[in-house]
Structures are given as structure tokens and as C-alpha cells.
Amino acid sequence: SDSISAVAPEPAPKRRRAAEGVDPLRSIDGIKGHVCVDFTRTDKEISAGKPVRSLRALDGKGSISRRGIALMRSQGGELAAATCGLIRDVVISRSTVKEVHDRFVHEGKATFTVCE
């Protein structure tokens, strides 16, 4: 399982309500912010002192992507998000999220534990 940390930017100004029957996600490409993906370590790796493994950013400048997440709907209509700007995309959806840590949500931060 992977651990994903996302930092959301300050909220955008309020928009008008979407018209009835119109998908509000149709006009949204994604959410900008900083995204980092770390792999969960086993107890054996922790006791051996192995460092946390992270996905690298596409720009080669560390493991934090500043491109945020892309929003999408699956064929079944399920809302999902995928990381952007990392060497591979990690999908965050109802079926992949195992745990949500929202202790710092007041700062615009959340950590999702996903299993792919």
C-alpha cells in the first residue's frame, strides 16, 4: 500500500451553482497543489532502518509534484483522482482508499492510504 500526502492551495472564490443535470466536474481538469507518494514500509524494513521510498517527480527535482491531481469518473460513474507529475500515476478512489488522515485538513493537507 502507498501513502499519499496532498496539500491543497487556498480555496478558490465561490462559483455559481452548476445547472441541473450538468456534471460539475466536466469543466474541472484537476486540483493544483503539492503531491508526494511514499511507500509503506514493513516492520522488518523499519527495524532494519531502511528509509522511506518515494515516487520521484517527473522534473527530476525530488519527490514532490507541484502539478496536483487530475479528477475523472470511471465507466461505472465512480469519482477518482490521479496524481500528476510523478513517474507513475497513483489512483485515489473509493475502491483504492483504505484510510484517510485528516488531522491537518485545516491547513489544506490530507494523507490517503491506498492499496492498488
Side-chain angles (χ1 to χ4, degrees):
S1 60
D2 304 331
S3 177
I4 302 171
S5 298
V7 179
E10 291 189 26
K14 290 188 177 182
R15 296 182 187 181
R16 292 184 303 162
R17 284 183 123 179
E20 288 293 322
V22 176
D23 185 356
L25 293 179
R26 178 168 278 222
S27 63
I28 299 174
D29 292 332
I31 299 173
K32 292 186 180 185
H34 297 164
V35 178
C36 176
V37 175
D38 295 326
F39 294 95
T40 303
R41 297 183 297 169
T42 64
D43 290 337
K44 186 177 179 179
E45 291 173 324
I46 292 170
S47 64
K50 290 193 175 185
V52 174
R53 295 177 300 144
S54 300
L55 280 182
R56 302 289 296 172
L58 283 175
D59 62 9
K61 297 179 182 178
S63 60
I64 297 176
S65 166
R66 288 158 182 78
R67 293 180 52 196
I69 56 175
L71 300 176
M72 64 190 115
R73 286 197 187 273
S74 67
Q75 290 180 350
E78 180 180 60
L79 178 64
T83 59
C84 298
L86 298 171
I87 58 171
R88 80 173 181 84
D89 295 335
V90 176
V91 176
I92 305 166
S93 70
R94 182 179 294 240
S95 59
T96 63
V97 171
K98 301 302 175 204
E99 195 173 14
V100 178
H101 301 276
D102 59 357
R103 182 174 170 191
F104 296 100
V105 76
H106 62 280
E107 295 177 15
K109 299 177 184 178
T111 299
F112 301 89
T113 302
V114 299
C115 186
E116 295 183 303

